[in-house]
Amino acid sequence: MTQRVDLAAVMARLAVDDLVTGYAMAVDDADWTAYRALFAPGSRADYRSSGGIEGPVDEVADWLAESIRLFPVRQHLIVNRRITLRDPDGYAGDTATVRADYLNPMRFASGAEFVAGGRYAFTALRGDEGWRLGSVVVEEKWRRM
């Protein structure tokens, strides 16, 4: 690989990492316009393992907007990100997968705390407008109230 290829891969990784960070911030801030803007057209999200729904991003965003009202205090931490750029020739390519763990402490209006943890599986696609999410799948592994 050349230095130019290596630099392209680093830049792609940073852009995909920023996309995942933007996802966490949009959910925590209940910014559904920003949430929708993170996704490529035709994208889907799957929250079934955490008691939610699976479907087109707009439908899921509407569901999240309603569901998250239960938790006026929330903080979304996405850690241990493993980004894989997919191109058979070793170049950065236009697709990526991200496996990342999450910890999601929240508080009900009553003050009771709820914490969940698990793993995300994201796909990201590079298009004319840069990197966008193609899908997100939540795999909740545990929760505590």
Side-chain angles (χ1 to χ4, degrees):
M1 283 196 198
T2 67
Q3 286 182 328
R4 182 173 288 163
V5 172
D6 290 342
L7 180 59
V10 169
M11 297 302 292
R13 285 180 182 280
L14 288 171
V16 171
D17 187 73
D18 190 53
L19 191 62
V20 171
T21 298
Y23 169 89
M25 294 177 74
V27 172
D28 286 346
D29 294 344
D31 185 344
W32 307 117
T33 300
Y35 178 89
R36 287 176 171 91
L38 294 168
F39 289 86
S43 296
R44 299 183 71 81
D46 184 347
Y47 290 81
R48 290 177 294 183
S49 78
S50 60
I53 66 169
E54 185 279 333
V57 168
D58 284 335
E59 181 181 319
V60 172
D62 291 342
W63 170 80
L64 275 171
E66 187 63 33
S67 300
I68 210 160
R69 289 181 185 170
L70 294 171
F71 307 101
V73 177
R74 55 196 170 266
Q75 185 175 20
H76 210 131
L77 307 172
I78 301 180
V79 300
N80 301 333
R81 301 171 194 211
R82 176 162 293 190
I83 299 170
T84 304
L85 302 172
R86 297 187 295 176
D87 185 286
D89 298 321
Y91 297 97
D94 292 332
T95 61
T97 58
V98 181
R99 299 281 292 168
D101 295 329
Y102 70 87
L103 178 65
N104 192 8
M106 299 180 284
R107 183 173 293 146
F108 290 99
S110 68
E113 294 183 358
F114 175 89
V115 182
R119 182 163 288 160
Y120 279 112
F122 295 97
T123 61
L125 312 166
R126 182 176 16 209
D128 293 338
E129 296 183 18
W131 286 94
R132 296 289 181 263
L133 294 173
S135 67
V136 58
V137 177
V138 175
E139 180 189 344
E140 184 177 274
K141 294 185 176 189
W142 63 272
R143 63 173 58 185
R144 182 181 71 225
M145 293 180 87

